[in-house]
């Protein structure tokens, strides 16, 4: 994915055909929201309610959200796009299960005069806008953190396992690329897996295979692309009686992941400020539904494999460790101390200053 920092006025022209349709729209707009799955806690817990809240705020409570979750099925999501078109939504926010498979649905929406905001993952097809995080930077942050955790153990002969995300998710390739830019040449990537559907149970099975192939005492660290998979990985390590546990990375700052960081089972996660990403998506969607340009919202642009110069906002990320939980997920209101520090984690929370 090429990212340019050019002004995106010319890219906005792609949306001009929708302006006539939307020009008469006031605040009573209908926003279709399609999220990809519910295995990862963030979508139902954060993204959906945050986008709904911002749309309501931007439309004086007159905007309507029409919501569907594809539960990791690309065919289901394509059908959901058709339903949104039939329901005559004014704009679509789509977080694609499969970035290529969604392209035809995006094209059909465009033909129906419905602009499309690609959310979190860069969908193919004639999208009008895109917001996500700098996904290569996510991988770099993870890779750097793993090297920091390894300390003196980080050397070209030190064996690590890479547990990457699903090949259907374009972000997974970017996470991997960013991580490899930090890890290659500094450690030995003994085993690397692309994990089907991002499922923890698939990561667990892959980790079992890695332990058998590499040897449980030979693995000094594990790159896990997200927190859900980190949970499956750590379960496999424990089942194999690996002690002490090697450092394991993560992403998404899921509650279970944060608790594992507090207890020392997981080294880090990547905190992605969902409120900012969700707000941008809502702002883009409402503007497009009203036939407005995105110049004041999107200062950058990206190129997808099918569409050039897409107006875009990339939100920065933070490496989350036990040292900055207070300054990230608690400060931003993602979790309370009580949510993190249940009875099981009270002692550990005290040791990291959460009480």
């Amino acid at each position: 994915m090429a990212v340019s920092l050019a002004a995106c006025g010319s890219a906005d022209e792609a949306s001009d055909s929708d302006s006539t349709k939307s020009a008469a729209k006031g605040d009573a707009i209908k926003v279709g929201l399609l999220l990809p799955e519910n295995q990862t806690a963030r979508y139902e817990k954060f993204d959906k309610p945050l986008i709904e809240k911002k749309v309501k705020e931007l439309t004086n409570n007159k905007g309507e959200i029409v919501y569907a979750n594809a539960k990791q099925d690309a065919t289901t999501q394509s059908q959901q796009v058709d339903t949104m078109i039939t329901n005559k939504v004014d704009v679509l926010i789509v977080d694609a299960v499969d970035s290529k498979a969604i392209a035809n649905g995006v094209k059909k929406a465009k033909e129906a005069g419905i602009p499309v905001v690609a959310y979190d993952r860069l969908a193919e097809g004639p999208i009008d806008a895109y917001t996500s995080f700098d996904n290569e930077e996510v991988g770099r942050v993870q890779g750097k953190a793993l090297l920091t955790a390894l300390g003196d153990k980080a050397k070209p002969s030190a064996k690590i396992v890479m547990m990457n995300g699903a090949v259907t998710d374009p972000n997974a390739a970017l996470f991997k690329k960013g991580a490899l830019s930090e890890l290659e040449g500094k450690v030995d990537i003994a085993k690397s897996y692309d994990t089907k559907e991002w499922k923890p149970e698939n990561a667990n099975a892959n980790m079992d295979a890695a332990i058998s192939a590499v040897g449980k005492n030979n693995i000094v660290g594990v790159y896990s692309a997200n927190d859900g998979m980190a949970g499956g990985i750590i379960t496999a390590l424990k089942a194999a009686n690996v002690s002490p546990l090697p450092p394991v990375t993560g992403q998404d700052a899921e509650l279970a992941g944060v608790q594992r960081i507090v207890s020392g089972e997981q080294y880090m996660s990547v905190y992605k400020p969902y409120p900012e990403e969700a707000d941008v998506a809502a702002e883009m969607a409402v503007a497009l539904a009203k036939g407005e340009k995105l110049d004041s919202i999107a200062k950058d642009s990206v190129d997808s494999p099918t569409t050039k110069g897409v107006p875009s906002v990339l939100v920065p990320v933070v490496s989350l460790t036990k040292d900055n939980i207070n300054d990230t997920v608690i400060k931003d209101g993602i979790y309370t101390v009580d949510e993190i520090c249940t009875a099981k984690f009270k002692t550990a929370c005290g040791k990291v200053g959460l009480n």
Side-chain angles (χ1 to χ4, degrees):
M1 181 182 73
V3 180
S4 66
L5 300 182
C8 49
S10 61
D12 284 337
E13 290 169 12
S15 303
D16 286 351
S17 61
D18 301 322
S19 298
T20 304
K21 176 185 82 73
S22 303
K25 277 284 173 188
D27 286 334
I29 60 173
K30 192 184 290 187
V31 178
L33 174 61
L34 298 180
L35 295 181
E37 46 105 340
N38 56 6
Q39 289 280 322
T40 306
R42 59 166 289 193
Y43 295 112
E44 299 288 335
K45 183 174 176 61
F46 301 125
D47 300 81
K48 177 179 179 282
L50 287 166
I51 290 170
E52 287 176 335
K53 180 182 176 184
K54 189 64 176 180
V55 167
K56 291 291 186 183
E57 179 185 310
L58 292 168
T59 61
N60 298 302
N61 286 317
K62 294 178 182 176
E64 177 189 354
I65 290 280
V66 184
Y67 174 65
N69 190 304
K71 297 182 180 177
Q72 200 60 60
D73 189 300
T75 301
T76 296
Q77 191 166 63
S78 294
Q79 294 166 349
Q80 290 169 344
V81 172
D82 291 341
T83 301
M84 293 289 182
I85 294 169
T86 301
N87 287 341
K88 297 183 177 177
V89 298
D90 297 298
V91 64
L92 262 178
I93 300 172
V94 179
D95 192 342
V97 172
D98 184 320
S99 60
K100 294 182 185 295
I102 199 67
N104 188 52
V106 173
K107 183 171 179 284
K108 287 194 282 187
K110 191 75 171 174
E111 289 169 350
I114 300 169
V116 178
V117 177
Y119 182 68
D120 205 58
R121 299 172 182 175
L122 187 57
E124 296 189 18
I127 59 173
D128 297 87
Y130 170 61
T131 184
S132 186
F133 301 95
D134 184 336
N135 294 309
E136 280 192 41
E137 178 63 13
V138 170
R140 287 191 290 270
V141 164
Q142 292 170 317
K144 285 176 187 174
L146 185 55
L147 293 175
T148 298
L150 290 175
D152 293 342
K153 291 182 180 179
K155 50 190 175 184
S157 61
K159 298 183 185 301
I160 72 159
V161 174
M162 282 195 80
M163 202 69 66
N164 306 296
V167 293
T168 55
D169 179 354
N171 289 359
L174 296 170
F175 302 147
K176 185 195 295 188
K177 182 179 178 183
L180 286 173
S181 73
E182 295 292 333
L183 297 171
E184 281 186 319
K186 296 171 186 170
V187 290
D188 174 14
I189 300 165
K191 284 290 180 180
S192 181
Y193 301 88
D194 295 317
T195 309
K196 188 177 180 182
E197 297 179 344
W198 287 95
K199 288 187 174 179
E201 57 265 37
N202 294 335
N204 179 275
N206 289 341
M207 195 64 212
D208 278 341
I211 292 167
S212 295
V214 181
K216 70 176 187 178
N217 297 320
N218 297 326
I219 298 169
V220 299
V222 183
Y223 167 85
S224 172
N226 80 353
D227 289 342
M229 295 196 307
I233 289 162
I234 290 165
T235 299
L237 290 166
K238 285 177 163 182
N241 296 313
V242 176
S243 181
L245 289 171
V248 179
T249 66
Q251 177 184 184
D252 294 326
E254 290 190 1
L255 180 57
V258 174
Q259 289 171 326
R260 286 192 297 269
I261 291 169
V262 167
S263 68
E265 290 186 346
Q266 182 173 327
Y267 177 67
M268 64 82 70
S269 184
V270 177
Y271 172 50
K272 297 152 77 171
Y274 305 122
E276 188 175 347
E277 185 191 28
D279 282 359
V280 169
E283 288 166 4
M284 287 174 160
V286 170
L288 289 168
K290 293 183 176 183
E292 299 168 359
K293 289 187 177 293
L294 299 177
D295 302 59
S296 63
I297 302 169
K299 303 300 183 184
D300 301 336
S301 67
V302 303
D303 297 336
S304 81
T306 59
T307 309
K308 305 299 181 187
V310 179
S312 303
V313 176
L314 298 179
V315 180
V317 300
V318 180
S319 178
L320 174 72
T321 67
K322 63 183 181 182
D323 297 325
N324 63 351
I325 293 171
N326 266 318
D327 297 327
T328 51
V329 291
I330 291 176
K331 182 181 177 183
D332 288 357
I334 303 298
Y335 306 117
T336 65
V337 171
D338 286 345
E339 284 178 305
I340 297 169
C341 300
T342 58
K344 180 180 177 181
F345 298 99
K346 278 287 184 189
T347 300
C349 278
K351 289 180 181 176
V352 300
L354 293 179
N355 39 37

